[in-house]
Amino acid sequence: MREQLIKICGLSSPDTMQAALDAGATHVGLVHYQPSPRHIELPDASRLRAMARGRAKVVLLLVNADIETTSAAIEAIKPEVIQFHGTETPEWCALVRKQVNIEVWKALGVKDKPTLKKSARYVGKVDRLLFDAPATALPGGNGTSFDWSLLADHEHTAAWGLAGGLTPENVADAIAQTGAPLVDTSSGVESAPGIKDAAKIAAFCAAAKAG
C-alpha cells in the first residue's frame, strides 16, 4: 500500500510548523512571494526549515522569481523541493533543476482538457506536476477547486499532486475521485488568510491518510 503524500503549504510560524509535523505531513511549504498573505522572509523561513529537518520535506514556493531571488532563497532555506507556481517555462524549470540538483515541481492551473494536454511540455523537465485551480488574484492559495473529473481519464506520465480548495471535509473524496498520490492544502487549513489553524491541519492529515 502506497504512502499518501500530504503537503501543508504556507506555514509561517513555529507553532503551525510543529502542528504540521506532529500531524504527519510529508511535505511542508514555505512561500517566498511578497504579494501572498503567506509570504515569509528568508531568516524566518530558515528557522522553520530547521524544525522540519529529518521529519518532512521542505518545499520552497516561488512565483516568477528572478535569478537573484531564486538563488538567495535556495541558499537560505536549502529546501528538498522547489515549487514554481507562476508562469515559469519548462526550460527555466529544467535549468534550475540541473543547476541545484534538487527536486523541482511545477504547479499548473487546470481549466479544461487542453490545459492537461499542455502539461506534457513539463514532463522530463520537472520531478512533479501539481494540478491546481486556475489563478485568480493570486497564483494559488485562493481556496477554489477545479473539476476533478478532468483527471479521471488523464494518462499521467509524470509524478503529480492535487491542490486547489482542499479541506479536511473534502480531501478524502478528492483522493477517492482522482487517486492523487499527493494532496496539497493551504487556505483549507486556515482560520483567516495566512493564519494556519492547528486543529484543521490535524484534521486534514487524518482525513487524507484515511482517504
Side-chain angles (χ1 to χ4, degrees):
M1 186 175 177
R2 67 172 172 83
E3 178 188 20
Q4 179 64 54
L5 302 177
I6 303 168
K7 174 170 168 267
I8 307 296
C9 197
L11 295 163
S12 57
S13 72
D15 288 350
T16 54
M17 173 61 80
Q18 193 63 53
L21 296 172
D22 289 345
T26 58
H27 296 74
V28 288
L30 302 174
V31 176
H32 190 61
Y33 177 56
Q34 195 74 47
S36 172
R38 302 161 190 97
H39 170 72
I40 186 168
E41 296 294 344
L42 295 182
D44 295 327
S46 180
R47 285 189 282 272
L48 294 187
R49 191 269 175 273
M51 291 178 64
R53 186 169 282 111
R55 297 188 64 186
K57 288 187 176 182
V58 171
V59 182
L60 164 64
L61 188 151
L62 299 172
V63 180
N64 299 331
D66 58 25
I67 293 173
E68 292 76 15
T69 301
T70 302
S71 298
I74 293 170
E75 179 61 29
I77 299 171
K78 297 178 174 59
E80 280 86 9
V81 181
I82 301 171
Q83 177 181 323
F84 290 121
H85 214 106
T87 57
E88 298 88 357
T89 64
E91 293 74 24
W92 169 254
C93 294
L95 177 63
V96 173
R97 185 183 183 212
K98 181 180 179 181
Q99 292 295 323
V100 300
N101 196 31
I102 59 178
E103 209 171 317
V104 169
W105 298 359
K106 179 69 183 81
L108 298 169
V110 178
K111 296 178 183 177
D112 46 31
K113 288 286 187 184
T115 312
L116 288 173
K117 288 183 179 178
K118 288 179 182 177
S119 70
R121 298 182 302 136
Y122 289 90
V123 174
K125 306 290 196 301
V126 300
D127 297 281
R128 186 181 299 273
L129 293 170
L130 190 63
F131 297 118
D132 198 355
T136 54
L138 291 170
N142 297 300
T144 56
S145 57
F146 65 94
D147 182 1
W148 298 329
S149 69
L150 291 169
L151 295 171
D153 58 357
H154 179 64
E155 187 175 337
H156 296 283
T157 54
W160 65 285
L162 179 66
L166 296 178
T167 68
E169 292 74 31
N170 70 13
V171 66
D173 188 36
I175 293 168
Q177 286 192 43
T178 66
L182 177 143
V183 287
D184 182 348
T185 189
S186 186
S187 61
V189 291
E190 291 180 344
S191 56
I195 308 299
K196 291 290 182 288
D197 183 301
K200 290 183 179 181
I201 290 172
F204 183 89
C205 291
K209 291 174 187 174

